[in-house]
Amino acid sequence: MTTKLTGSHADIEIAVGGQLAPLYPHSGVTWVESTTGARFEIMVTNRHHGRILVLAAVDGRDVLDDRPASPEGGRGVIVPPGRTYTFRGWRTDNDTT
């Protein structure tokens, strides 16, 4: 079982309730188990030589503004080379992050 996703430009780790969470890949999607009200952190480390733009969503909701996630209109965070950005939040119910 893994707790880190490694891509060509970035590494991603997710903590739930302060502990690194196991990641469950299935059919091209990676799942993380959590419960309503649990705090989460999504840590993205840029391993690329240039800046990267990161858009993060939980259950289809943008973690920055709680709108439906969309690559076209979503808000993101620019992460400089070699740096890590942590998105922090919690799941309040089935429709809100």
Side-chain angles (χ1 to χ4, degrees):
M1 180 113 14
T2 184
T3 60
K4 182 188 288 188
L5 292 175
T6 300
S8 60
H9 291 84
D11 293 333
I12 300 171
E13 293 178 292
I14 300 173
V16 176
Q19 301 291 320
L20 284 179
L23 306 176
Y24 303 97
H26 179 72
S27 300
V29 176
T30 300
W31 298 89
V32 176
E33 184 177 357
S34 184
T35 58
T36 300
R39 292 192 174 277
F40 66 82
E41 295 178 317
I42 303 170
M43 289 122 344
V44 180
T45 301
N46 181 359
R47 296 185 303 104
H48 189 58
H49 59 82
R51 298 180 303 166
I52 60 171
L53 175 64
V54 179
L55 291 90
V58 172
D59 291 340
R61 307 294 296 184
D62 186 310
V63 299
L64 295 177
D65 62 14
D66 195 38
R67 292 184 171 169
S70 167
E72 293 82 25
R75 293 178 49 205
V77 173
I78 295 174
V79 182
R83 302 292 292 274
T84 298
Y85 185 84
T86 301
F87 296 91
R88 292 181 174 87
W90 60 92
R91 194 82 179 121
T92 57
D93 58 40
N94 286 336
D95 299 313
T96 312
T97 54

